[in-house]
Amino acid sequence: MRWIFLLNLLVASLAAGAPSRPPKRRPVPVAEPEPKSTPTPAAGETSRKSEPSRAAASTRGPQPIRYALALAGGAFYGGGSNRGPLVAAVFSLTPPIWSGRLVLEAELDWRFTRFVATVPDTGTMTSALHGVPLYLSGRLNVLRLGPVGLDARLGLGPSFALQYLGSSFSQSTVRTAVGWDALVALQLRVPISAVELFGEARFAFGEAPIPFVLGRATGLQGTLGVRYWLP
C-alpha cells in the first residue's frame, strides 16, 4: 500500500506544477459602423441657399424701365431787357442700358419776357413774348460722388412763340410763330428718399421767325426742381 500512496503523491505534485490553461473566451462581435446619412436641410436653409442663385440670376437679367416726372422753376437772361421767369415740366424714361446712366427726356418749357420801350416823338411801345419750346433730350451721367450725380444734357425740338405788341400810337397786335430751340446743360442731382432734387445751368438758342420781334426768350438759364420716380 505504500507504493500506491507514493504514486498518488507524485501524480498530485505533477498536476499542481503543470500550467493551467486560461479559459477560452468567446469572441466579442464587432459592431459595424453605421452608414453616414446626409442630413435633410430644413425649409429655411433651402431657401437661404437658393437666394444667392436667384440674386445672381436677377442681376444678369434685364433691368426694368424707370419713369419719372419733374417740375422746375427758374429764370433766364437773353441780354438787355430780355429776362424773365421760366417753368419746366419734364417726363423722364431710363432704358435698361449702361447701368441706368442714360436718361431720355421730354421737356415742355414756358418763358415770359416783357418790357416797355419809348419811341421818341411818338409814344411808348409794350412787348410781351411767350416762348414755349418742347425739347427731346438725352441726359448722361458723367460724374458720381456717392449719392450725388452730375449729368450733361443735350436737347432739341420745336418752339412756339407768341408776341403781344401794343403801343400808344397804333393798334395792338398778336403774332405767333413756330421755330426751333436747342439747349446744352449741366445738371446736379441729389436724391432724398423717394424724390430727387436737382439744379441745372444751361444755355438755350433758337429762332422763331416773327418779323420785327421785340424780345427773346433764349440765352442763359438756371432752374431748380424736384423729380419723382414713379413706382
Side-chain angles (χ1 to χ4, degrees):
M1 295 299 290
R2 185 177 182 181
W3 62 271
I4 294 175
F5 175 75
L6 293 176
L7 181 60
N8 289 334
L9 183 61
L10 178 62
V11 172
S13 62
L14 290 175
S20 60
R21 294 182 179 180
K24 294 183 179 181
R25 297 181 180 179
R26 295 181 179 179
V28 179
V30 179
E32 296 182 357
E34 297 182 358
K36 295 182 179 180
S37 60
T38 305
T40 303
E45 294 179 356
T46 305
S47 61
R48 285 194 297 269
K49 290 182 180 180
S50 59
E51 285 176 0
S53 59
R54 291 178 183 176
S58 63
T59 55
R60 289 192 297 266
Q63 297 180 355
I65 299 176
R66 301 182 64 194
Y67 303 94
L69 294 174
L71 290 176
F76 72 93
Y77 176 71
S81 299
N82 297 292
R83 56 181 178 268
L86 183 157
V87 177
V90 188
F91 173 76
S92 302
L93 182 150
T94 305
I97 58 175
W98 293 357
S99 301
R101 295 180 58 195
L102 176 66
V103 181
L104 304 179
E105 294 180 326
E107 176 180 339
L108 182 65
D109 285 7
W110 172 78
R111 306 171 197 156
F112 174 75
T113 182
R114 178 182 181 275
F115 62 89
V116 178
T118 301
V119 180
D121 303 328
T122 303
T124 60
M125 181 178 292
T126 302
S127 175
L129 179 67
H130 300 264
V132 184
L134 174 62
Y135 295 111
L136 299 178
S137 64
R139 177 163 54 87
L140 180 65
N141 178 245
V142 295
L143 182 63
R144 184 173 296 173
L145 297 174
V148 181
L150 179 65
D151 299 345
R153 191 158 76 102
L154 295 175
L156 177 67
S159 178
F160 175 77
L162 183 148
Q163 185 199 25
Y164 166 81
L165 187 63
S167 66
S168 58
F169 52 86
S170 64
Q171 187 178 1
S172 300
T173 59
V174 175
R175 299 181 294 178
T176 61
V178 176
W180 61 273
D181 214 320
L183 66 83
V184 292
L186 286 176
Q187 184 178 119
L188 185 67
R189 301 178 290 107
V190 181
I192 298 178
S193 185
V195 300
E196 189 175 60
L197 303 181
F198 65 90
E200 186 172 82
R202 59 188 182 180
F203 178 75
F205 54 96
E207 181 181 1
I210 300 179
F212 308 106
V213 65
L214 297 177
R216 183 173 55 191
T218 56
L220 297 174
Q221 303 173 6
T223 61
L224 294 174
V226 59
R227 179 178 293 112
Y228 174 72
W229 292 98
L230 301 176

